[in-house]
Amino acid sequence: MQSTTTTETATPLATGPSLTPPFDDPVLIFGLAMVIFLVAPLVLKRYRLPGIVGIILIGAAIGPNGVHLLERDATIQLLGEVGLIYLMFIAGLEINLNQFIEYKDRSIVFGLFSFVIPQAVGTVVGVYVLGLSLGAASLFAAIFASHTLLAYPVVNRLGIATDEAMTATIGGTILTDTLALLVLAVVIASVDGVLDAAFWLQLGVGLTLFFVGIWLLVPRLGRWFFRIHGDESYFEFLFVMAVLFICAFLAELVGVEHIIGAFLAGLALNRLIPESGPLMNRIEFVGNALFIPFFLLSVGMLVDARVVLEGAGTLVIAGSLIVMVFATKYVAAWATGRVYGYDRDQVLGMFGLSVGQAAAALAIVQIGFEAGVPGFDQDMINAVVLMILVVSLVSPALVERAGGALVRAREHEEYDPSDTRQRILVPVSASSKYRESLLDLAFTIRNERDDEPIHTVAVVRPEANVRTEAKVAKAEALLDEMEAYASGAEVPIEEHTRVNHNIASGIVHSAVENRITTLVIGWDGARSRTQQVFGHTIDRVLSRTTQLALVGRVRERLNTTRRIVLVLPPGIDHNDGFSEALHTVKLISEQTGAPIRGLVIDGDRAQCQRLFGLVEPDAPGEFVDLTDWDELLAALRDDVRSDDLVVCMSARRNDIGWDPRLQTLPKSISTLTNGNFVVMYPATEERADDRQFLRFS
């Protein structure tokens, strides 16, 4: 009998993730990172220390130079690079562009001080103390002549990015880092022996085309995209990300670091992404929760505390770097403060923000080492890492201290217990087609410091019980949709549903009961038999209220606004609520980045220009004289484009500035332009806090 042999093939058993350090399982690595990002800031917050310091310290502790739980592998490096790019992009986005342009000389001066002083001192020390050649000494100085906005998350959290000194520091970054990286390009080219006319021509032409191309093309592309995709969605976020990383890549192509492209992308998209909108909230959320912490973790994993034991060479170079970076960056901040009259806290904030070192410093020393620049050996790399460790701990702490003082000073100057808190009411109906656009308008004029919700109200006419309940349920669903939209911008909404035979009465009662200071009302442009200005309901609301009121046809996204055309009828500048109304227009300008063109009808243009300059906040504006209403209509017909926002300052009947032509002007504007327009009615009674809108310095 023939025997048969059964052959069994052994199948390897599935094994779980390795729990032996360093961990290589991606799920475990990501989970550990999330725990670090959560726990480190919470723990350090108890000791009043910046949370980013905790992430850096833990990165050093668990990295390859610590207990070696994680490798600083390609994935960590990639996420760290993305985080740095994202950090510079947000810095460009959050700059107050009107203020940046108005005070661009401050950014240029600080950028030059912050580069030239460290570059000169570092070159001298490199030649005469460390014995480096002139080229190597120049590259050594460039390591700390640049700076990384390592403490920018603290600036962002404290809300001081719009402070003039912080704006100058952030704006100076692009000049400082560009010059430092140009030194890198020149020195490396000299090592390779190709420092000829062709090199300079290629570098100059490439940089010029890059800067001009980004500044001209990105805003046009963004405005086109946002106008086509009007609904707020993740497509807008993906578009912004695509622009960001393409710009960063193009920067590398022309010979500068990707962070320059990221910062420039932020500036180019600045006016298209309102600070108070849902898109900005999403961008900041993703950055602060994910990408930027990965950058901080990556920086921490570079730190090797053992370098202090590796000989005198590392300590001498590290000591030179640390002393010079602190001394020269402080001198640059102090000199800028002296030139422009900044106080001690502003100077300290500039110093703390600009003393941070990471990306550019690492790029310069690593590229110099790989290119074989004399003197750029392992001791130099270790010294730079040690410098990064020290400034990573000091920079956020300095900004936290200075920023806290700036916040306290700002609150003390601008607020008074008797001030009226702003409360905005947005009435809506089932027929409202552009409810989200009305909310966007309310977002732009909302005072975030008052911490008041935006009130929404829907008024339902009563019918039979069942029908009334159904209509109320529909109105509540409508308001819920608006609340969901506002939650994307982290703006609280307080809903009100009223049953009233008279829609106008329901809106007026809601305004009185909730102590509303500002009304934002939508108008579709339709005419009615009983219309005087807008229609029976809106006209009745305006006649029975005294608050500041904005009645608008807002169909296009406000962030696509190129220019604000402000119409000022005769005598409106004598209205008691003119300063508040002008303040509101300038808030819209600040949020959209759109300049203001004032059309003064048969009035005092110089007086309007003077009052415009007195009202906060800063916004670019020019005023021109028009002789009569016919010239106004001709100007609107010939000069206004679809991406302009027309704002007509009006007045209620019998108030100062009222004119019979104001009754027909809204309809005329609606036929002369297809774009957005708002008719603004100043408050009819002088408020006790009217001076809060003026500057007296």
Side-chain angles (χ1 to χ4, degrees):
M1 188 173 85
Q2 191 176 8
S3 63
T4 58
T5 305
T6 304
T7 304
E8 295 183 358
T9 303
T11 303
L13 297 175
T15 59
S18 173
L19 297 180
T20 304
F23 304 130
D24 58 1
D25 182 74
V27 176
L28 180 58
I29 293 173
F30 199 83
L32 181 60
M34 294 301 103
V35 172
I36 294 171
F37 301 161
L38 172 66
V39 173
L42 291 177
V43 171
L44 267 71
K45 184 178 180 180
R46 298 185 60 182
Y47 300 98
R48 297 183 178 180
L49 293 174
I52 65 175
V53 174
I55 298 176
I56 293 173
L57 289 176
I58 293 180
I62 68 172
N65 300 313
V67 297
H68 207 178
L69 295 182
L70 297 180
E71 289 281 5
R72 192 175 185 270
D73 56 13
T75 301
I76 296 294
Q77 293 181 41
L78 171 64
L79 292 173
E81 287 292 307
V82 170
L84 175 60
I85 292 171
Y86 212 97
L87 178 68
M88 294 299 297
F89 176 65
I90 291 180
L93 274 185
E94 293 197 337
I95 284 182
N96 184 325
L97 205 54
N98 290 334
Q99 188 181 40
F100 176 71
I101 293 173
E102 183 175 357
Y103 300 114
K104 57 183 177 295
D105 58 313
R106 288 153 171 76
S107 294
I108 294 173
V109 167
F110 176 73
L112 289 174
F113 279 157
S114 191
F115 171 77
V116 172
I117 295 174
Q119 186 68 35
V121 172
T123 302
V124 171
V125 171
V127 171
Y128 293 103
V129 177
L130 301 179
L132 301 174
S133 65
L134 181 61
S138 299
L139 195 60
F140 169 76
I143 291 173
F144 60 93
S146 65
H147 59 254
T148 300
L149 299 177
L150 200 64
Y152 185 79
V154 178
V155 173
N156 185 22
R157 175 172 54 81
L158 294 175
I160 58 173
T162 56
D163 182 88
E164 184 182 311
M166 296 298 100
T167 298
T169 308
I170 297 168
T173 299
I174 190 170
L175 180 60
T176 300
D177 285 2
T178 299
L179 292 175
L181 294 172
L182 284 177
V183 171
L184 171 64
V186 172
V187 172
I188 296 302
S190 66
V191 172
D192 295 337
V194 292
L195 198 61
D196 53 13
F199 166 79
W200 293 108
L201 180 63
Q202 179 181 356
L203 185 63
V205 172
L207 283 176
T208 301
L209 290 177
F210 172 69
F211 277 84
V212 174
I214 295 298
W215 195 251
L216 293 180
L217 294 179
V218 169
R220 288 174 169 79
L221 179 64
R223 190 169 285 108
W224 168 80
F225 185 88
F226 289 134
R227 287 177 71 90
I228 290 179
H229 298 276
D231 296 332
E232 183 69 30
S233 68
Y234 66 90
F235 289 112
E236 293 181 336
F237 179 81
L238 293 177
F239 170 78
V240 170
M241 292 299 99
V243 170
L244 164 59
F245 288 100
I246 289 174
C247 289
F249 173 72
L250 291 177
E252 291 185 319
L253 284 185
V254 300
V256 295
E257 197 68 15
H258 47 54
I259 56 177
I260 303 299
F263 186 81
L264 192 60
L267 290 178
L269 289 174
N270 182 288
R271 289 175 168 168
L272 296 174
I273 304 177
E275 184 180 354
S276 59
L279 179 57
M280 186 64 172
N281 184 58
R282 291 172 182 173
I283 292 171
E284 289 184 333
F285 176 81
V286 172
N288 294 331
L290 189 63
F291 290 136
I292 294 175
F294 265 114
F295 162 64
L296 300 173
L297 183 68
S298 175
V299 170
M301 294 175 72
L302 284 170
V303 174
D304 186 359
R306 294 170 297 183
V307 297
V308 297
L309 304 176
E310 292 188 2
T314 294
L315 292 178
V316 170
I317 299 173
S320 301
L321 285 170
I322 293 170
V323 170
M324 285 188 294
V325 72
F326 280 114
T328 57
K329 293 297 183 180
Y330 181 79
V331 170
W334 174 83
T336 306
R338 292 280 293 183
V339 171
Y340 295 109
Y342 295 150
D343 61 30
R344 183 179 61 181
D345 294 321
Q346 288 176 303
V347 170
L348 183 62
M350 296 178 72
F351 168 57
L353 193 57
S354 62
V355 79
Q357 300 289 333
L362 285 173
I364 290 172
V365 71
Q366 287 178 351
I367 293 174
F369 175 76
E370 293 169 359
V373 176
F376 276 66
D377 51 16
Q378 189 62 47
D379 284 344
M380 182 72 75
I381 294 179
N382 290 341
V384 170
V385 172
L386 187 59
M387 177 196 68
I388 290 174
L389 169 62
V390 174
V391 299
S392 296
L393 299 177
V394 175
S395 175
L398 290 175
V399 175
E400 183 84 27
R401 178 179 176 182
L406 290 175
V407 170
R408 289 190 296 272
R410 182 175 60 188
E411 291 176 348
H412 176 73
E413 291 175 358
E414 295 190 1
Y415 283 94
D416 186 275
S418 62
D419 286 348
T420 302
R421 298 174 69 86
Q422 181 199 50
R423 292 188 174 186
I424 300 174
L425 177 66
V426 182
V428 294
S429 68
S431 60
S432 301
K433 296 181 180 179
Y434 303 100
R435 298 182 293 272
E436 294 180 353
S437 297
L438 280 181
L439 278 182
D440 287 336
L441 179 59
F443 294 160
T444 62
I445 66 173
R446 176 176 177 263
N447 187 346
E448 295 183 358
R449 294 191 201 166
D450 277 348
D451 199 27
E452 288 281 346
I454 290 178
H455 297 256
T456 58
V457 61
V459 183
V460 174
R461 285 193 176 98
E463 298 182 21
N465 287 340
V466 175
R467 291 183 179 179
T468 302
E469 291 179 3
K471 292 174 71 173
V472 169
K474 184 177 180 180
E476 290 177 347
L478 186 71
L479 296 180
D480 288 342
E481 291 178 5
M482 297 182 67
E483 183 178 16
Y485 178 77
S487 66
E490 293 189 347
V491 176
I493 292 289
E494 189 166 321
E495 303 176 8
H496 307 279
T497 305
R498 305 183 67 93
V499 178
N500 197 309
H501 287 282
N502 189 303
I503 302 296
S505 294
I507 296 173
V508 172
H509 290 161
S510 183
V512 172
E513 293 167 3
N514 295 286
R515 293 179 293 150
I516 297 300
T517 63
T518 307
L519 291 164
V520 177
I521 307 173
W523 181 54
D524 59 7
R527 298 187 64 87
S528 65
R529 291 183 297 104
T530 59
Q531 177 174 353
Q532 293 180 343
V533 182
F534 297 101
H536 178 72
T537 299
I538 299 178
D539 290 343
R540 290 286 300 274
V541 171
L542 292 174
S543 66
R544 297 172 59 184
T545 56
T546 60
Q547 296 93 335
L548 172 67
L550 286 72
V551 182
R553 187 192 70 185
V554 186
R555 297 175 177 173
E556 303 292 339
R557 299 288 299 278
L558 282 175
N559 62 333
T560 63
T561 302
R562 284 181 181 269
R563 181 182 59 168
I564 297 174
V565 179
L566 176 61
V567 178
L568 299 177
I572 194 65
D573 53 307
H574 298 292
N575 192 294
D576 288 336
F578 180 69
S579 294
E580 181 188 13
L582 201 57
H583 166 76
T584 303
V585 176
K586 296 183 79 171
L587 284 178
I588 300 174
S589 172
E590 183 181 49
Q591 287 289 328
T592 61
I596 299 172
R597 177 176 174 80
L599 306 179
V600 183
I601 306 170
D602 190 23
D604 189 344
R605 181 188 62 81
Q607 171 72 356
C608 292
Q609 187 81 55
R610 186 185 71 83
L611 292 175
F612 180 85
L614 289 175
V615 173
E616 294 282 7
D618 293 316
E622 61 173 356
F623 290 78
V624 297
D625 284 316
L626 299 180
T627 56
D628 53 30
W629 293 96
D630 291 336
E631 188 175 358
L632 169 67
L633 296 179
L636 294 177
R637 180 178 57 252
D638 299 335
D639 188 45
V640 172
R641 299 167 296 185
S642 60
D643 52 7
D644 288 336
L645 170 63
V646 178
V647 179
C648 176
M649 198 85 74
S650 189
R652 294 169 170 91
R653 182 183 289 272
N654 299 326
D655 284 343
I656 297 175
W658 184 81
D659 188 284
R661 294 292 296 268
L662 291 173
Q663 293 188 115
T664 59
L665 187 60
K667 187 61 180 178
S668 299
I669 296 175
S670 69
T671 58
L672 291 172
T673 177
N674 293 323
N676 298 328
F677 74 86
V678 174
V679 182
M680 187 174 296
Y681 292 83
T684 58
E685 296 177 356
E686 185 175 4
R687 295 185 182 175
D689 63 342
D690 188 59
R691 292 179 299 172
Q692 70 174 309
F693 306 112
L694 304 177
R695 62 165 71 91
F696 298 98
S697 58

